[in-house]
């Protein structure tokens, strides 16, 4: 994934990327941006996971088993 213009998460917090599969969130991992608001990273997707949406939330450091807030970014996944 590539992230631009997203300020680093506050101390003690992290961003978490979710796949929305059949209406339910599945964590794809946690991340934070550099001081310039950028990040390029590869995150593992569980084998066989089919999803059309991704979402980002701000979570406690280390992430959460489920989102603890409404996502502030939501995006459609385009097929290649």
């Amino acid at each position: 994934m590539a992230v631009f213009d997203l300020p680093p998460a506050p101390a003690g917090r992290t961003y978490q990327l979710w796949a929305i599969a059949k209406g339910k969130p599945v964590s794809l991992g946690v991340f934070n941006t550099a001081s310039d608001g950028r990040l390029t990273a590869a995150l593992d997707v569980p084998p066989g996971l089919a999803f059309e949406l991704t979402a980002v939330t701000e979570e406690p450091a280390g992430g959460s088993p489920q989102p603890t807030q409404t996502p502030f970014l939501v995006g459609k996944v385009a097929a290649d």
Side-chain angles (χ1 to χ4, degrees):
M1 80 174 170
V3 179
F4 304 93
D5 298 323
L6 180 62
R13 307 286 292 172
T14 191
Y15 296 119
Q16 193 159 356
L17 179 65
W18 305 92
I20 310 302
K22 298 181 183 175
K24 301 207 183 282
V26 176
S27 178
L28 296 179
V30 296
F31 67 94
N32 207 345
T33 56
S35 61
D36 65 358
R38 295 174 178 239
L39 168 79
T40 303
L43 299 173
D44 292 326
V45 175
L49 180 65
F51 60 96
E52 294 180 5
L53 293 174
T54 59
V56 176
T57 57
E58 182 187 300
E59 300 294 339
S64 298
Q66 295 294 316
T68 61
Q69 59 180 241
T70 302
F72 65 91
L73 291 174
V74 177
K76 285 187 173 186
V77 177
D80 286 342

XYZ file of all heavy atoms in Angstrom:
576
model
N 0.835 -1.165 0.000
C 0.000 0.000 0.000
C 0.881 1.229 0.000
O 2.029 1.179 0.423
C -0.952 -0.031 1.193
C -0.359 0.394 2.489
S -1.663 0.464 3.727
C -0.659 0.688 5.136
N 0.332 2.314 -0.479
C 1.032 3.593 -0.483
C 0.135 4.623 0.186
O -1.059 4.691 -0.097
C 1.351 4.025 -1.907
N 0.717 5.376 1.109
C -0.022 6.384 1.863
C 0.703 7.712 1.690
O 1.929 7.768 1.766
C -0.079 6.009 3.362
C -0.822 7.053 4.153
C -0.698 4.631 3.557
N -0.076 8.764 1.465
C 0.475 10.104 1.303
C -0.364 11.086 2.111
O -1.577 10.939 2.210
C 0.457 10.537 -0.168
C 1.182 9.595 -1.070
C 0.510 8.577 -1.715
C 2.545 9.720 -1.257
C 1.172 7.695 -2.538
C 3.225 8.847 -2.089
C 2.543 7.830 -2.729
N 0.279 12.097 2.669
C -0.411 13.179 3.376
C -1.254 12.711 4.557
O -2.320 13.263 4.824
C -1.290 13.997 2.413
C -0.469 14.659 1.323
O 0.662 15.104 1.613
O -0.950 14.726 0.179
N -0.802 11.697 5.269
C -1.476 11.231 6.489
C -0.512 11.449 7.648
O 0.531 10.785 7.723
C -1.844 9.752 6.375
C -2.562 9.141 7.585
C -3.898 9.830 7.827
C -2.757 7.649 7.368
N -0.798 12.398 8.524
C 0.122 12.665 9.635
C 0.341 11.416 10.480
O -0.557 10.576 10.587
C -0.598 13.743 10.455
C -1.638 14.310 9.557
C -1.997 13.240 8.578
N 1.516 11.260 11.077
C 1.746 10.103 11.950
C 0.684 10.030 13.049
O 0.187 11.062 13.518
C 3.131 10.376 12.541
C 3.798 11.276 11.548
C 2.689 12.131 10.987
N 0.339 8.818 13.437
C -0.624 8.625 14.525
C -0.037 9.191 15.817
O 1.180 9.192 16.009
C -0.934 7.143 14.688
N -0.886 9.680 16.709
C -0.403 10.212 17.985
C 0.322 9.142 18.809
O 0.137 7.938 18.583
C -1.682 10.652 18.698
C -2.723 10.768 17.642
C -2.333 9.791 16.570
N 1.096 9.579 19.771
C 1.812 8.646 20.664
C 0.818 7.668 21.286
O -0.278 8.051 21.693
C 2.540 9.428 21.750
N 1.205 6.398 21.314
C 0.354 5.363 21.896
C -0.760 4.885 20.990
O -1.600 4.083 21.395
N -0.767 5.362 19.739
C -1.807 4.996 18.767
C -1.139 4.497 17.485
O 0.045 4.723 17.252
C -2.694 6.199 18.431
C -3.298 6.913 19.615
C -4.422 6.179 20.270
N -5.581 6.135 19.391
C -6.660 5.418 19.662
N -6.736 4.695 20.758
N -7.687 5.403 18.827
N -1.903 3.820 16.657
C -1.422 3.337 15.371
C -2.587 3.341 14.394
O -3.750 3.419 14.798
C -0.822 1.918 15.503
O -0.131 1.578 14.308
C -1.885 0.858 15.772
N -2.289 3.252 13.112
C -3.326 3.075 12.108
C -3.462 1.586 11.834
O -2.492 0.832 11.908
C -2.967 3.806 10.816
C -2.892 5.296 10.978
C -1.703 5.985 10.737
C -4.001 6.034 11.375
C -1.632 7.354 10.885
C -3.931 7.412 11.528
C -2.746 8.060 11.280
O -2.666 9.422 11.436
N -4.688 1.169 11.535
C -4.927 -0.232 11.221
C -5.722 -0.311 9.926
O -6.697 0.420 9.741
C -5.692 -0.917 12.362
C -5.713 -2.422 12.257
C -5.995 -3.102 13.594
O -6.111 -2.450 14.633
N -6.096 -4.414 13.564
N -5.263 -1.183 9.027
C -5.919 -1.397 7.740
C -6.815 -2.618 7.850
O -6.384 -3.673 8.334
C -4.874 -1.600 6.635
C -5.424 -1.864 5.235
C -6.184 -0.646 4.703
C -4.287 -2.238 4.285
N -8.041 -2.461 7.390
C -9.034 -3.536 7.445
C -9.505 -3.875 6.039
O -9.734 -2.980 5.228
C -10.252 -3.096 8.259
C -9.929 -2.613 9.627
C -9.673 -1.319 10.005
C -9.790 -3.406 10.797
N -9.390 -1.274 11.345
C -9.463 -2.542 11.865
C -9.919 -4.764 11.069
C -9.272 -2.980 13.164
C -9.722 -5.203 12.358
C -9.400 -4.330 13.395
N -9.691 -5.163 5.768
C -10.409 -5.611 4.580
C -11.852 -5.809 5.031
O -12.096 -6.359 6.115
C -9.835 -6.930 4.069
N -12.792 -5.362 4.239
C -14.197 -5.573 4.560
C -14.670 -6.731 3.691
O -14.807 -6.599 2.471
C -15.046 -4.304 4.321
C -14.407 -3.091 4.994
C -16.479 -4.538 4.792
C -14.202 -3.205 6.491
N -14.842 -7.875 4.323
C -15.195 -9.117 3.624
C -16.565 -9.584 4.121
O -16.736 -9.836 5.321
C -14.146 -10.194 3.886
N -17.525 -9.635 3.223
C -18.898 -10.029 3.571
C -19.438 -9.158 4.698
O -20.091 -9.632 5.620
C -18.959 -11.506 3.935
C -18.567 -12.419 2.785
C -18.648 -13.873 3.164
C -18.182 -14.729 2.007
N -18.131 -16.141 2.343
N -19.104 -7.867 4.648
C -19.605 -6.918 5.623
C -18.886 -6.908 6.957
O -19.242 -6.139 7.844
N -17.859 -7.728 7.118
C -17.136 -7.812 8.386
C -15.670 -7.399 8.194
O -15.054 -7.738 7.198
C -17.201 -9.229 8.937
C -18.627 -9.703 9.170
C -18.675 -10.727 10.254
C -20.068 -11.263 10.447
N -20.946 -10.415 11.169
N -15.111 -6.680 9.186
C -13.710 -6.258 9.078
C -12.737 -7.384 9.414
O -12.954 -8.141 10.359
C -13.607 -5.132 10.108
C -14.649 -5.458 11.121
C -15.758 -6.142 10.381
N -11.687 -7.482 8.613
C -10.593 -8.431 8.840
C -9.308 -7.604 8.842
O -9.028 -6.898 7.867
C -10.529 -9.498 7.726
C -9.331 -10.423 7.932
C -11.826 -10.282 7.649
N -8.541 -7.669 9.922
C -7.323 -6.871 10.010
C -6.284 -7.337 9.003
O -5.991 -8.524 8.896
C -6.727 -6.951 11.416
O -5.524 -6.197 11.468
N -5.719 -6.371 8.290
C -4.608 -6.650 7.386
C -3.292 -6.164 7.976
O -2.244 -6.367 7.387
C -4.846 -5.993 6.026
C -6.053 -6.507 5.248
C -6.179 -5.760 3.924
C -5.972 -8.003 5.017
N -3.355 -5.511 9.138
C -2.143 -5.088 9.816
C -2.195 -3.656 10.282
O -3.127 -2.908 9.972
N -1.187 -3.297 11.055
C -1.067 -1.940 11.584
C 0.090 -1.236 10.881
O 1.006 -1.877 10.364
C -0.851 -1.943 13.114
C -2.066 -2.525 13.812
C 0.397 -2.694 13.507
N 0.017 0.088 10.877
C 1.071 0.867 10.231
C 1.096 2.267 10.819
O 0.167 2.692 11.501
C 0.867 0.919 8.716
C -0.348 1.687 8.266
C -0.243 3.032 7.921
C -1.594 1.079 8.194
C -1.357 3.741 7.496
C -2.716 1.786 7.784
C -2.599 3.121 7.428
N 2.164 2.979 10.542
C 2.263 4.386 10.854
C 3.028 5.050 9.718
O 3.749 4.382 8.976
C 2.952 4.633 12.199
C 2.505 5.933 12.843
O 1.910 6.784 12.199
N 2.795 6.083 14.119
N 2.853 6.332 9.580
C 3.532 7.059 8.517
C 4.777 7.741 9.068
O 4.926 7.930 10.277
C 2.599 8.122 7.907
O 2.126 8.985 8.938
C 1.424 7.481 7.196
N 5.652 8.121 8.166
C 6.847 8.891 8.523
C 6.423 10.324 8.832
O 5.273 10.713 8.622
C 7.844 8.855 7.369
N 7.348 11.113 9.293
C 7.047 12.499 9.657
C 6.521 13.319 8.477
O 5.812 14.296 8.671
C 8.272 13.173 10.263
O 9.331 13.189 9.320
N 6.814 12.890 7.234
C 6.307 13.604 6.053
C 4.929 13.099 5.613
O 4.413 13.503 4.575
C 7.300 13.524 4.897
C 7.497 12.112 4.365
O 6.896 11.156 4.902
O 8.275 11.960 3.404
N 4.317 12.183 6.398
C 2.980 11.696 6.090
C 2.922 10.599 5.052
O 1.859 10.276 4.532
N 4.076 9.968 4.775
C 4.127 8.936 3.721
C 4.495 7.564 4.273
O 5.172 7.442 5.283
C 5.161 9.309 2.663
C 4.814 10.538 1.901
C 5.949 10.928 0.959
N 5.571 12.086 0.193
C 5.515 12.098 -1.125
N 5.862 11.048 -1.813
N 5.147 13.190 -1.749
N 4.051 6.542 3.536
C 4.422 5.164 3.835
C 4.196 4.334 2.584
O 3.192 4.506 1.889
C 3.548 4.587 4.960
C 3.659 3.076 5.154
C 4.918 2.735 5.933
C 2.446 2.524 5.843
N 5.121 3.462 2.292
C 4.944 2.432 1.272
C 5.274 1.114 1.947
O 6.357 0.976 2.527
C 5.881 2.667 0.066
O 5.633 3.973 -0.464
C 5.634 1.642 -1.021
N 4.329 0.182 1.920
C 4.532 -1.083 2.628
C 3.734 -2.196 1.950
O 2.736 -1.936 1.274
C 4.092 -0.951 4.082
N 4.190 -3.414 2.157
C 3.453 -4.594 1.716
C 2.869 -5.259 2.954
O 3.578 -5.488 3.934
C 4.384 -5.559 0.986
N 1.587 -5.518 2.917
C 0.911 -6.202 4.011
C 0.371 -7.527 3.491
O -0.128 -7.604 2.367
C -0.231 -5.345 4.563
C 0.179 -3.989 5.148
C -1.057 -3.168 5.504
C 1.043 -4.178 6.383
N 0.464 -8.547 4.301
C -0.023 -9.864 3.899
C -1.540 -9.928 3.960
O -2.158 -9.457 4.912
C 0.557 -10.952 4.805
C 2.053 -11.134 4.615
O 2.528 -10.974 3.469
O 2.743 -11.427 5.604
N -2.132 -10.528 2.926
C -3.566 -10.777 2.886
C -3.757 -12.272 3.111
O -3.101 -13.084 2.457
C -4.160 -10.354 1.519
C -5.626 -10.737 1.426
C -3.963 -8.860 1.305
N -4.640 -12.651 4.052
C -4.866 -14.081 4.280
C -5.268 -14.790 2.986
O -6.072 -14.243 2.205
C -6.011 -14.107 5.302
C -5.925 -12.778 5.998
C -5.452 -11.815 4.945
N -4.731 -15.985 2.745
C -5.073 -16.724 1.518
C -6.583 -16.930 1.404
O -7.252 -17.244 2.383
C -4.366 -18.073 1.691
C -3.304 -17.830 2.712
C -3.811 -16.735 3.597
N -7.103 -16.702 0.213
C -8.514 -16.934 -0.058
C -9.451 -15.837 0.420
O -10.662 -15.940 0.232
N -8.925 -14.788 1.047
C -9.785 -13.706 1.522
C -10.249 -12.861 0.336
O -9.435 -12.268 -0.365
C -9.058 -12.823 2.536
C -9.870 -11.654 3.098
C -11.054 -12.171 3.919
C -8.987 -10.749 3.937
N -11.544 -12.833 0.104
C -12.115 -12.026 -0.974
C -12.765 -10.798 -0.357
O -13.568 -10.910 0.568
C -13.146 -12.835 -1.746
N -12.399 -9.613 -0.841
C -12.979 -8.375 -0.326
C -12.966 -7.312 -1.404
O -12.170 -7.378 -2.333
C -12.234 -7.901 0.934
C -10.771 -7.630 0.717
C -10.324 -6.350 0.459
C -9.837 -8.662 0.781
C -8.968 -6.094 0.272
C -8.484 -8.418 0.597
C -8.052 -7.131 0.337
N -13.871 -6.349 -1.273
C -13.980 -5.279 -2.255
C -13.696 -3.912 -1.659
O -13.560 -2.936 -2.398
C -15.365 -5.281 -2.891
C -15.624 -6.520 -3.733
C -17.007 -6.502 -4.368
O -17.722 -5.496 -4.244
O -17.356 -7.509 -4.989
N -13.641 -3.821 -0.326
C -13.401 -2.553 0.347
C -12.270 -2.690 1.349
O -12.071 -3.765 1.929
C -14.645 -2.095 1.120
C -15.878 -1.713 0.337
C -17.037 -1.442 1.301
C -15.626 -0.486 -0.519
N -11.560 -1.599 1.548
C -10.607 -1.502 2.648
C -10.977 -0.278 3.471
O -11.646 0.635 2.982
C -9.153 -1.375 2.161
O -9.044 -0.210 1.337
C -8.695 -2.611 1.410
N -10.552 -0.288 4.724
C -10.845 0.829 5.613
C -9.662 1.030 6.548
O -8.920 0.086 6.842
C -12.113 0.543 6.410
N -9.494 2.257 7.032
C -8.427 2.580 7.969
C -9.044 3.223 9.204
O -9.899 4.108 9.089
C -7.394 3.537 7.343
C -6.332 3.949 8.356
C -6.738 2.905 6.121
N -8.598 2.749 10.370
C -8.983 3.350 11.642
C -7.728 3.685 12.427
O -6.649 3.166 12.144
C -9.857 2.402 12.494
O -9.152 1.183 12.714
C -11.187 2.115 11.824
N -7.883 4.557 13.405
C -6.808 4.830 14.358
C -7.110 3.994 15.597
O -8.214 4.062 16.144
C -6.778 6.313 14.713
C -5.649 6.669 15.661
C -5.730 8.102 16.135
O -5.676 9.012 15.277
O -5.870 8.297 17.351
N -6.146 3.191 16.019
C -6.350 2.245 17.112
C -5.253 2.389 18.162
O -4.226 3.022 17.915
C -6.346 0.811 16.564
C -7.417 0.521 15.523
C -8.831 0.576 16.061
O -9.034 0.447 17.288
O -9.759 0.767 15.251
N -5.451 1.765 19.332
C -4.372 1.741 20.330
C -3.135 1.059 19.745
O -3.246 0.196 18.863
C -4.956 0.921 21.475
C -6.435 0.983 21.295
C -6.659 1.090 19.808
N -1.952 1.432 20.236
C -0.699 0.815 19.769
C -0.838 -0.700 19.787
O -1.389 -1.274 20.725
C 0.458 1.254 20.656
N -0.385 -1.340 18.730
C -0.488 -2.793 18.612
C -1.729 -3.251 17.870
O -1.827 -4.393 17.463
N -2.703 -2.356 17.695
C -3.914 -2.701 16.955
C -5.007 -3.272 17.830
O -4.829 -3.466 19.032
N -6.136 -3.544 17.205
C -7.314 -4.058 17.887
C -7.858 -5.264 17.130
O -7.686 -5.362 15.917
C -8.409 -2.986 17.934
O -7.979 -1.860 18.654
N -8.547 -6.178 17.834
C -9.137 -7.326 17.137
C -10.300 -6.923 16.236
O -10.600 -7.601 15.257
C -9.607 -8.253 18.255
C -9.517 -7.487 19.527
C -8.670 -6.279 19.277
N -10.960 -5.815 16.564
C -12.050 -5.243 15.776
C -11.885 -3.725 15.813
O -11.326 -3.190 16.772
C -13.410 -5.626 16.370
C -13.720 -7.104 16.316
C -13.885 -7.611 14.892
O -14.539 -6.983 14.069
N -13.276 -8.739 14.574
N -12.393 -3.011 14.810
C -12.287 -1.558 14.845
C -12.964 -0.988 16.097
O -14.019 -1.468 16.510
C -13.034 -1.106 13.584
C -13.043 -2.295 12.684
C -13.063 -3.489 13.584
N -12.345 0.028 16.680
C -12.914 0.669 17.860
C -13.542 2.015 17.513
O -14.025 2.704 18.405
C -11.838 0.880 18.949
O -10.822 1.737 18.425
C -11.236 -0.438 19.399
N -13.518 2.370 16.228
C -14.114 3.627 15.788
C -14.540 3.495 14.338
O -14.213 2.517 13.657
C -13.128 4.784 15.939
C -11.850 4.591 15.142
C -10.883 5.734 15.285
O -10.563 6.365 14.309
N -10.417 6.001 16.489
N -15.280 4.473 13.874
C -15.683 4.515 12.472
C -14.454 4.799 11.614
O -13.667 5.687 11.949
C -16.726 5.631 12.261
O -17.847 5.366 13.116
C -17.187 5.695 10.821
N -14.264 4.046 10.523
C -13.107 4.305 9.654
C -13.114 5.739 9.126
O -14.165 6.284 8.807
C -13.290 3.313 8.511
C -14.166 2.247 9.062
C -15.070 2.929 10.048
N -11.917 6.337 9.035
C -11.815 7.671 8.473
C -11.389 7.641 7.017
O -11.451 8.655 6.322
C -10.890 8.569 9.310
C -9.464 8.144 9.338
C -8.557 8.618 8.398
C -8.993 7.286 10.323
C -7.237 8.229 8.421
C -7.680 6.898 10.355
C -6.800 7.376 9.396
N -10.965 6.490 6.529
C -10.685 6.280 5.104
C -11.330 4.971 4.686
O -11.182 3.963 5.383
C -9.178 6.179 4.845
C -8.339 7.419 5.015
C -6.852 7.059 4.857
C -8.712 8.477 4.017
N -12.015 4.984 3.563
C -12.615 3.776 2.996
C -12.357 3.822 1.507
O -12.504 4.879 0.874
C -14.140 3.706 3.265
C -14.761 2.481 2.601
C -14.434 3.686 4.756
N -11.939 2.693 0.942
C -11.654 2.668 -0.484
C -12.049 1.359 -1.129
O -12.038 0.313 -0.480
N -12.434 1.438 -2.400
C -12.741 0.240 -3.173
C -11.459 -0.364 -3.707
O -10.530 0.343 -4.053
C -13.655 0.575 -4.346
C -15.071 0.838 -3.958
C -15.909 0.995 -5.200
C -17.368 1.079 -4.813
N -18.222 1.090 -5.994
N -11.438 -1.670 -3.768
C -10.309 -2.398 -4.334
C -10.633 -2.679 -5.781
O -11.673 -3.259 -6.096
C -10.047 -3.718 -3.564
C -8.932 -4.505 -4.206
C -9.744 -3.414 -2.106
N -9.756 -2.261 -6.673
C -9.972 -2.476 -8.112
C -9.332 -3.792 -8.530
O -8.228 -4.115 -8.104
C -9.374 -1.326 -8.909
N -10.025 -4.544 -9.350
C -9.476 -5.790 -9.884
C -8.445 -5.463 -10.961
O -8.581 -4.497 -11.703
C -10.589 -6.635 -10.478
N -7.393 -6.267 -11.023
C -6.362 -6.076 -12.058
C -6.815 -6.628 -13.369
O -7.540 -7.503 -13.514
C -5.063 -6.769 -11.637
C -4.356 -5.980 -10.526
O -4.672 -4.809 -10.342
O -3.488 -6.577 -9.887
